[in-house]
Amino acid sequence: MVYDGIILSLLIGWFRGGSLKGLANMKLRGGWLFPLLLAVQFAVFFLQERVAWIAKMSNGIFLLVYIIGLVFLWLNRHQPGFPVIFAGVLLNFIVMALNGGRMPVSIEAAQFLGREYIEALKAGMYGKHQAITSETLLPFLGDIIPLSPPYPRQQVISIGDVVMNVGAFLFIQHLMLSAPRHGADDAENETTAAPANQ
């Protein structure tokens, strides 16, 4: 969901006259942490079914990734949108921490994702997710919002995911609109210059 939000933000930023060059102006404290945390999550996701000790420690690793991610966001809280992203990540972290390190997912909301996914979900071995049960704490903070056609990708997201995407949208818009495209500059200059030629 986060990646979808980033792509949508880039498109809207472009249509608003922003430029990808603005992304080059991104100055984040500890910026190297973000790709590292993503790599760790992907590594655990793909290896936990193949390596026993990784499967055993995966819950703790996911929580540690979230804690480091929250520290990274807090260090950059002066950036536009980052306080909102922090709030979204914190919501996801809270529900995962209260439920053993995995994000609870509504079986009802995830039905359209297929039987294989549901079975893996119930087994508690699908990435960092597990099925919501009667023992789940704060289930409303889990993945309970289904996204299906006409949305281009079928998935189930949480309230925290939505909040995170709002923050990412604000940050990307700020970066892109701080460096408008040349075409937008030219159009603005022509508009400004036109009355002087009449």
Side-chain angles (χ1 to χ4, degrees), residues 148-171:
S148 57
Y151 192 79
R153 283 207 312 145
Q154 293 184 325
Q155 54 188 315
V156 184
I157 64 173
S158 68
I159 294 174
D161 291 334
V162 175
V163 175
M164 274 194 292
N165 274 275
V166 171
F169 176 82
L170 295 174
F171 181 57

Side-chain angles (χ1 to χ4, degrees), residues 172-195:
I172 291 174
Q173 297 302 298
H174 166 74
L175 291 176
M176 293 187 70
L177 297 179
S178 66
R181 297 195 303 272
H182 289 302
D185 288 343
D186 294 343
E188 184 177 347
N189 291 336
E190 288 175 4
T191 303
T192 304

Side-chain angles (χ1 to χ4, degrees), residues 90-111:
L90 182 61
L91 290 176
N92 283 349
F93 172 75
I94 289 172
V95 71
M96 289 179 67
L98 291 177
N99 292 284
R102 297 207 175 247
M103 171 61 77
V105 182
S106 166
I107 293 294
E108 291 74 18
Q111 284 297 326

Side-chain angles (χ1 to χ4, degrees), residues 106-115 117-118 122 146 156:
S106 166
I107 293 294
E108 291 74 18
Q111 284 297 326
F112 60 84
L113 295 178
R115 183 175 179 180
Y117 174 80
I118 297 299
K122 290 179 178 177
V156 184

Side-chain angles (χ1 to χ4, degrees), residues 6-21:
I6 291 175
I7 293 173
L8 181 62
S9 300
L10 292 173
L11 288 173
I12 293 177
W14 190 83
F15 280 115
R16 293 180 67 193
S19 171
L20 292 176
K21 292 179 180 177

